[in-house]
Amino acid sequence: MGSNDFITLFFLVAAVLIFLQLRSVLGRRTGSEKPPFDPYSPRDVAKNPGGDDGKVVTLPRRDATDDEQRYADVDAVAKPDTPLNAALREVVKSDPSFRPREFLNGARMAYEMIV
């Protein structure tokens, strides 16, 4: 028996042992597994196409004073009629929860941590 036969036999035994260990750890399919979950599948639409099943929630309307307050917050951070003010107003318009003062405080803390 040559050295090549011994090496081949060694790797064959190692492969069989690794296969058996993986099989015991990972298990086998029995047919009673749950189907894989697809978060992007339209399950609710398929169950009730076009129907209302009582899950619609009406949100409260915003007042005009809410918009004025958010824009006043922007004016407090950036001078009116500047490109920065216009850009911040666009951000507030697209994301009503954006607060410029909180954003600046967070950016300041991040800058200090980085530097």
Side-chain angles (χ1 to χ4, degrees):
M1 198 161 159
S3 67
N4 283 342
D5 291 338
F6 179 72
I7 292 173
T8 304
L9 183 64
F10 173 76
F11 281 116
L12 178 66
V13 169
V16 168
L17 289 175
I18 290 171
F19 174 76
L20 291 174
Q21 282 290 9
L22 284 174
R23 189 171 180 192
S24 69
V25 169
L26 299 176
R28 299 182 216 158
R29 285 193 178 266
T30 61
S32 63
E33 295 87 9
K34 293 180 183 176
F37 176 70
D38 182 13
Y40 301 109
S41 68
R43 293 173 192 229
D44 293 338
V45 175
K47 290 179 185 174
N48 193 4
D52 180 18
D53 56 356
K55 293 183 180 178
V56 177
V57 177
T58 305
L59 298 175
R61 297 282 179 194
R62 291 188 311 192
D63 295 335
T65 57
D66 241 6
D67 289 335
E68 292 171 5
Q69 177 60 40
R70 284 198 308 269
Y71 291 139
D73 292 344
V74 169
D75 291 339
V77 171
K79 293 180 184 177
D81 299 325
T82 60
L84 176 61
N85 188 291
L88 286 174
R89 282 177 178 260
E90 286 297 317
V91 171
V92 167
K93 189 187 308 182
S94 63
D95 182 11
S97 66
F98 178 75
R99 300 287 180 251
R101 184 74 59 194
E102 292 175 18
F103 175 77
L104 285 176
N105 290 338
R108 186 174 294 120
M109 288 175 28
Y111 177 78
E112 289 173 0
M113 281 195 270
I114 292 170
V115 171

